[in-house]
Amino acid sequence: MSRGREQWGSKFGFIMAAAGSAVGLGNIWRFPYLTGVSGGGIFVVLYLILVAAIGMPIMLAEMAIGRGGGLNAVGSFRKLKGGLWPMVGWAGVVAGFVILSFYGVVAGWTVAYMFKSFGPLMSMAAAGGAAEAFQTFTNDYVQVIAYQGAFMLATIWIVYNGVGGGIERYCKVMMPSLYIILAILMVRSLTLEGAMKGVEFYLKPDISKLTARTVMGALGQAFFSLSIGMGCMITYGSYLSDRESLPSSVFIVTVMNVAVAILVGFVIFPAVFAFNMEPSSGPGLIFVTLPAVFARMPMGSLFSFLFFTLLFFAAVTSSVSLLEVCVAYMKDEFRWDRGRAAWIIGLACFLLGIPSALSLGDHFPRVFGMDFLGAMDFLSSNVLLPLGGIFISVFAGWSWFEGARQEVRRGGALPKPLETFWVLACRILAPIAVAWVFVGNFR
Ligand code: TRP
């Protein structure tokens, strides 16, 4: 490991940062809306299977590559094997850049809704006008871009402050509070009249809704929500000391991540059905359903503010991990200092995000039948991340196998059967399954 490289202060700090990266808009915004458009329970079941069978093994492989290489996503591949492998890291850096561009937009909506909690939004929502309010908002370009910019500034600021003093410090406070507020909201939503229809939609898999698209969507969601397939966990793993156990970190991070997604479903779907709304309304889902729930609660404005604040926390602990992948790359490979890298890349991401910011307005042209934001999301989650995942698992399972196995054993090994499963997953299961779903998607 190169001398003087930054490190996490503690294992707890690393886990909070990695979980902070995983838990984000992906769980709270993307998961419910995809579940809604994909027919409910069947999507949830697929997601869980794919997380366990493919997501966790790849996350473990990524952390091993990062700690073994001790560098950014590109540098780690070069140091461990060289050849064409660094291109995998490079594609990851590009993916991070693309994801962050639209991530900043949706996170900006979140910041806007923090403040709107105390405005006319609540009374509009109480009168059934939450969808209209959201639409008016996404057509207000100045506002949307201003909030996106504000969010990007927060992201840049934290990354600028470094691994321990920025990322770790904020994640340790923000993550735990998220679970508490989610639990409170879940109780409120489940006790609404008519809530059980939502629970049924959410939990009862309807096999007739199983299509190739659903599988692809669930796979993309597994990658996106675990922050894998683009070198994020490689970068975070590179700041981890040899004493810590990788498998236990993967386990804790995954459980924390899945728990948030599942809890959020119990907040959203009961409310959607209790208020006779459409579960399949798309990216606006939480911005439409949640205000309607809050408007019907005592102290709704306060809860709304709390919720969107915590969502902002969850988003920022994820966006910093995306930016950090690019910053670590520029820092290690081009000797940029952290501040310069954070500012320049952060601003470039903001600019690339502007078409996404405009694209939910009524007048923006569509790309391949999707809005621009949706297209960016599709390109990264359903194309770049799965491709990255295939190469990462092949790298750990074949090309750098002995090294990867040693790295996984260092600091606390897996029980034998699980290790065998991990090897099998990296060698065969993940590459074949992901490639199969991937190709099927384009037919
Ligand atoms: N996992 C985050 C979320 O669910 C988003 C994210 C952060 C991400 N880092 C990533 C997604 C790396 C893919 C790859 O919101």
Side-chain angles (χ1 to χ4, degrees):
M1 199 173 285
S2 59
R3 224 164 237 283
R5 191 173 170 78
E6 294 171 272
Q7 279 217 353
W8 304 110
S10 61
K11 180 172 182 186
F12 178 72
F14 165 69
I15 288 186
M16 286 301 121
S21 166
V23 176
L25 295 171
N27 309 59
I28 302 173
W29 160 72
R30 206 172 180 278
F31 175 74
Y33 103 65
L34 280 179
T35 305
V37 297
S38 315
I42 187 73
F43 182 83
V44 181
V45 171
L46 282 172
Y47 167 70
L48 292 176
I49 293 174
L50 291 170
V51 162
I54 293 177
M56 292 173 89
I58 292 182
M59 191 193 287
L60 185 54
E62 276 200 35
M63 286 182 183
I65 294 168
R67 192 167 70 179
L71 286 167
N72 67 90
V74 179
S76 290
F77 278 109
R78 179 167 353 81
K79 183 152 163 222
L80 296 173
K81 261 283 114 74
L84 290 178
W85 286 111
M87 285 179 64
V88 178
W90 196 79
V93 174
V94 173
F97 194 79
V98 174
I99 296 174
L100 185 53
S101 75
F102 72 82
Y103 207 87
V105 173
V106 180
W109 301 347
T110 302
V111 179
Y113 269 61
M114 281 163 64
F115 299 112
K116 287 182 191 299
S117 302
F118 298 107
L121 175 68
M122 285 296 127
S123 51
M124 282 181 81
E132 214 186 302
F134 181 69
Q135 205 180 353
T136 312
F137 168 63
T138 48
N139 269 301
D140 186 344
Y141 297 149
V142 177
Q143 253 199 70
V144 170
I145 292 176
Y147 282 115
Q148 179 208 355
F151 178 81
M152 289 305 295
L153 280 180
T155 302
I156 294 170
W157 172 250
I158 294 178
V159 172
Y160 170 78
N161 278 298
V163 172
I167 299 173
E168 179 172 355
R169 190 166 121 219
Y170 288 92
C171 291
K172 276 201 304 208
V173 193
M174 290 176 175
M175 286 308 297
S177 32
L178 183 70
Y179 292 90
I180 299 170
I181 188 87
L182 274 180
I184 297 174
L185 289 176
M186 185 175 85
V187 171
R188 170 65 276 203
S189 195
L190 283 172
T191 50
L192 290 166
E193 197 170 332
M196 283 311 132
K197 271 187 295 180
V199 174
E200 191 174 315
F201 172 82
Y202 184 46
L203 292 187
K204 215 167 165 190
D206 176 356
I207 295 286
S208 71
K209 303 233 168 84
L210 181 64
T211 63
R213 271 195 95 96
T214 317
V215 183
M216 187 67 213
L219 184 74
Q221 177 60 17
F223 276 87
F224 190 91
S225 84
L226 290 173
S227 300
I228 55 174
M230 51 88 49
C232 188
M233 293 299 166
I234 297 183
T235 308
Y236 273 23
S238 76
Y239 304 129
L240 186 65
S241 95
D242 287 345
R243 289 188 307 273
E244 313 298 354
S245 148
L246 296 183
S248 81
S249 306
V250 169
F251 185 75
I252 299 171
V253 170
T254 308
V255 168
M256 286 179 69
N257 185 55
V258 168
V260 172
I262 297 299
L263 277 175
V264 170
F266 281 115
V267 177
I268 307 286
F269 292 109
V272 168
F273 282 82
F275 300 138
N276 284 318
M277 292 187 280
E278 257 322 303
S280 59
S281 65
L285 185 65
I286 64 162
F287 297 93
V288 173
T289 51
L290 288 177
V293 181
F294 294 132
R296 289 168 176 81
M297 288 169 69
M299 298 194 298
S301 291
L302 184 68
F303 274 105
S304 173
F305 176 75
L306 265 177
F307 176 82
F308 284 109
T309 306
L310 287 167
L311 182 50
F312 161 69
F313 289 165
V316 88
T317 54
S318 301
S319 62
V320 296
S321 74
L322 291 161
L323 184 56
E324 179 64 24
V325 172
C326 306
V327 167
Y329 170 65
M330 296 312 286
K331 230 175 126 240
D332 291 343
E333 305 294 309
F334 298 97
R335 302 265 153 252
W336 282 21
D337 66 54
R338 174 170 283 281
R340 177 169 171 208
W343 276 105
I344 293 182
I345 298 169
L347 283 176
C349 271
F350 166 68
L351 293 177
L352 180 66
I354 289 180
S356 295
L358 305 181
S359 70
L360 264 84
D362 294 330
H363 307 295
F364 202 80
R366 297 170 76 81
V367 229
F368 303 119
M370 288 180 255
D371 54 74
F372 191 83
L373 190 153
M376 288 288 121
D377 186 0
F378 184 85
L379 168 69
S380 41
S381 310
N382 290 23
V383 180
L384 296 175
L385 297 181
L387 277 183
I390 293 176
F391 286 111
I392 287 165
S393 49
V394 168
F395 183 77
W398 299 98
S399 178
W400 181 60
F401 177 63
E402 274 314 316
R405 191 165 60 178
Q406 260 178 37
E407 198 57 58
V408 166
R409 286 178 178 170
R410 203 194 305 276
L414 276 168
K416 198 74 196 154
L418 281 181
E419 193 187 77
T420 311
F421 177 75
W422 174 70
V423 174
L424 212 82
C426 284
R427 293 201 150 177
I428 298 164
L429 187 63
I432 292 183
V434 177
W436 185 67
V437 177
F438 185 78
V439 171
N441 192 47
F442 288 99
R443 271 211 313 254

